[in-house]
Amino acid sequence: MIRVLAITPSYEPVTGLTLEEIRMEDYAWIWADFSNPTPEEARKLETYFHFHPLAVEDCLHVLQRPKLDYYEKMQFFVLHALQPDTLQAVEVDVFLAPSFVVSFHQQALPEMDEAWERVLAVAGKGPLGQDGPSFTAYTIMDKLVDQYFPSLFAIEDELAELESQGEKDSVEDLMNQVFALRSRLLRLRRTVVPMRDLLYRIVNSQHMEHHAHHAYFSDIYDHLLKLADMIEADREMTADLRDSYISVNSNRMNTIMKTLTVITTIFMPLTLIAGIYGMNFANMPELEWHYGYFFVLLLMFVLGGGMVLWFMRRGWFK
């Protein structure tokens, strides 16, 4: 699907047109949004707009790293949206020129719908002039970045819940949850950090130093810095939780091994005594003694109890 927003010289928004119905010289600027386009519609990047073949190739072969390329009188952005469920990146390509904006994405995105409604509302209230395409590009980036926050906040809520309920679950379950959160943070980081680097390049580009919307792009960059810092802090927290659970698990294993060792040590002399009297030799005088059996049981009890008391005094049961 291709939807077109055209702004007249008197800064009135016009929608519902097709590309074939538009003459660029009749409008101040236009925004063409390619949403999940068919192959025939995608070919209009070359046949109608005559974009550089390398830029068209980047649009059709996903998933490219976020970047900024400069062509003659045009800037080409590769941006990343985020799927909330899987935290997988979705490529959004934007062509920015003084008289038009073209956005291209292989699947429908609610962020692009929100950007469309915002630009349409602003264009209808007042003139955007020659900065209209730039404002549109800013709005697209802003909506894409805003979508990162709910996903990160959801992870932080799970981290807080994991800390509060850590004593109720087994160490194995806790470790699985921690590693799952670290995996999600890693996927989110793979989207946020390249976008942060891209916005840094945009903000510090010579093409943007005196731009009317330079402060707006700087604001997006600040949001991405905040996101990157929050992700790193959450990763450190999961690392601390992981180390704590590993330490708790190791301590439990040491306690179990110590207990088993103590029990084995207590029964070693008892097993020795039982083994000796289980040899059944004929010349064992204790076998004929009337109280021999009871004496051996008493001896085993005294040895076992004495060893338990000795281990307790040594602090081995603590």
Side-chain angles (χ1 to χ4, degrees), residues 104-172:
F104 186 95
H105 43 102
Q106 297 283 5
Q107 55 183 280
L109 297 171
E111 302 94 311
M112 297 301 296
D113 295 335
E114 294 176 5
W116 181 272
E117 295 298 330
R118 182 180 180 185
V119 172
L120 181 61
V122 172
K125 290 182 179 179
L128 291 177
Q130 295 181 352
D131 293 325
S134 177
F135 177 80
T136 302
Y138 151 74
T139 303
I140 293 173
M141 296 181 191
D142 185 52
K143 293 300 180 180
L144 295 182
V145 172
D146 285 346
Q147 188 60 37
Y148 299 167
F149 281 97
S151 299
L152 183 56
F153 290 155
I155 294 177
E156 290 191 331
D157 291 340
E158 293 185 33
L159 268 176
E161 184 179 356
L162 189 61
E163 286 184 306
S164 62
Q165 297 183 356
E167 298 179 356
K168 301 179 182 179
D169 299 330
S170 65
V171 174
E172 183 178 356

Side-chain angles (χ1 to χ4, degrees), residues 22 71 127 130 142 145 159 162 218 229 237 243 255 263 270 272 294-295 297 311-313 315:
I22 292 179
Y71 296 97
Q130 295 181 352
D142 185 52
V145 172
L159 268 176
L162 189 61
S218 298
D229 291 341
M237 185 180 299
D243 295 340
T255 302
I263 294 174
L270 308 184
L272 174 64
F294 302 101
F295 175 77
L297 288 181
F311 289 152
M312 291 179 63
R313 182 172 298 179

Side-chain angles (χ1 to χ4, degrees), residues 41-53 56 60:
E41 291 174 336
R43 278 196 290 270
K44 292 184 179 180
L45 296 175
E46 291 183 285
T47 58
Y48 184 87
F49 290 101
H50 306 289
F51 291 143
H52 195 282
V56 175
L60 300 179

